[in-house]
Amino acid sequence: VDPATRLYPPEYEGHLGSLLISHEEIDSRVQELAQCIHEDYKGTRPVMLCTLKGACPFYQHLLDALQDLKQGYTMEFLRASSYVGAATSGNVTLLGSELNKEDLENRHVILVEDIVDTGTTLANLLPLLQKFELKSLEVCTMLEKRLGDDKTPAAKAKYAGFSIPNKFVLGFGLDYNELYRDLKDIWVISQAGIDFDAKSLV
Ligand code: XMP
Ligand code: MG
C-alpha cells in the first residue's frame, strides 16, 4: 500500500514515520478474527469487554463483523491504566470501572485489547477480572508485539490480529500523548512526531 494514498488530518504531516498496517488489512483480518470467535462461541452470547480507549475502533469493527455472522454478544467496557508515556509500569488499576458482578458472573468473557506488548498489563488485569467468577475468559487483541528472542510475554492473547515488530506504533485507537487515535491506519511514529508538543493542538 502506498503511504501517499492514506488519509490523515493535515496537522499530522511529518509525524508518521512509516505505514505499518493499512485500514484495508485491518478490515480483512477483523473478519477472520470474528469468524474464529464465532466458531468457538456459537450458541453462546459472550460478553465483549472493551478496554478503553485504545481498543475502541477495533472493538467497533469486530462487533460489526460478529453481527454479520449472526453471533450474539453483550457489551461491557473497562478502563485500565498502566502506561505512562511510552513505557509500561507494572501497576494496573481499573479506573472508574463500570463493571458489575451481575453482568459478568457465570459468563463467557472476551477481553478486547488494542495491543499486547510485554503482556504485563494483561497479566495484571486478568486476575482482577477472574474475581467476577466468569465461566471463561479469553483475550482478543488487535496487535501483539514480537519481543526479542530472549523475552517471553507475561501473558498471551488467544486471538491476535497482527504480530508486529517491537516498535512504538500509533493509529486506529493507539495514541501518543492522546494524539493519533484518529488515524484510519496503523503507523510507526517519526522523531518529529515524538518531539511534537501535543498541547499546541486544540
Ligand atoms: P504491556 O507491555 O503491558 O502494554 O503489554 C500494554 C499497553 O501498553 C500500551 N502500548 C502501546 N500503546 N503504541 C501505543 O500507542 C504502542 O506501540 C504500545 N505498546 C504498548 C497500550 O496501552 C497497551 O494496552
Ligand atoms: Mg491499552
Side-chain angles (χ1 to χ4, degrees):
V1 182
D2 181 2
T5 64
R6 300 291 95 188
L7 301 175
Y8 53 84
E11 56 272 27
Y12 291 159
E13 196 59 56
H15 298 192
L16 309 174
S18 57
L19 179 66
L20 190 65
I21 306 169
S22 71
H23 190 76
E24 293 81 350
E25 289 172 302
I26 299 170
D27 264 348
S28 72
R29 186 67 185 124
V30 163
Q31 308 301 320
E32 294 174 358
L33 289 173
Q35 190 67 55
C36 292
I37 289 172
H38 181 50
E39 275 163 30
D40 294 347
Y41 290 85
K42 207 175 284 178
T44 72
R45 294 175 52 80
V47 179
M48 301 301 291
L49 176 54
C50 178
T51 60
L52 299 171
K53 305 172 201 175
C56 222
F58 172 59
Y59 182 74
Q60 183 189 331
H61 279 63
L62 188 62
L63 296 196
D64 194 55
L66 291 174
Q67 287 171 345
D68 289 340
L69 296 168
K70 299 197 275 183
Q71 171 65 55
Y73 54 80
T74 61
M75 298 167 64
E76 296 295 337
F77 297 85
L78 67 78
R79 188 135 182 228
S81 175
S82 74
Y83 225 64
V84 183
T88 300
S89 78
N91 290 325
V92 173
T93 46
L94 287 175
L95 299 173
S97 178
E98 296 293 310
L99 296 178
N100 295 311
K101 194 166 174 77
E102 53 268 36
D103 297 324
L104 295 173
E105 200 172 28
N106 213 26
R107 296 290 301 273
H108 296 290
V109 174
I110 302 177
L111 179 69
V112 181
E113 270 283 6
D114 48 1
I115 184 164
V116 179
D117 187 339
T118 62
T120 310
T121 306
L122 262 194
N124 286 281
L125 187 54
L126 295 179
L128 296 180
L129 294 174
Q130 291 288 14
K131 291 203 177 105
F132 289 97
E133 294 172 42
L134 314 176
K135 190 167 232 152
S136 70
L137 176 60
E138 298 293 351
V139 179
C140 178
T141 185
M142 176 169 70
L143 307 176
E144 68 183 358
K145 273 195 197 171
R146 283 193 297 276
L147 309 174
D149 294 339
D150 49 333
K151 292 187 200 137
T152 44
K156 270 186 74 72
K158 176 163 188 180
Y159 309 96
F162 299 90
S163 168
I164 63 162
N166 197 358
K167 292 184 177 152
F168 195 79
V169 297
L170 9 118
F172 207 72
L174 291 158
D175 77 306
Y176 182 66
N177 295 332
E178 291 303 322
L179 298 184
Y180 314 110
R181 294 194 198 274
D182 49 355
L183 295 171
K184 285 178 80 81
D185 310 286
I186 295 173
W187 300 77
V188 176
I189 197 168
S190 72
Q191 191 57 48
I194 292 171
D195 297 339
F196 184 73
D197 175 16
K199 292 204 164 62
S200 69
L201 297 177
V202 290

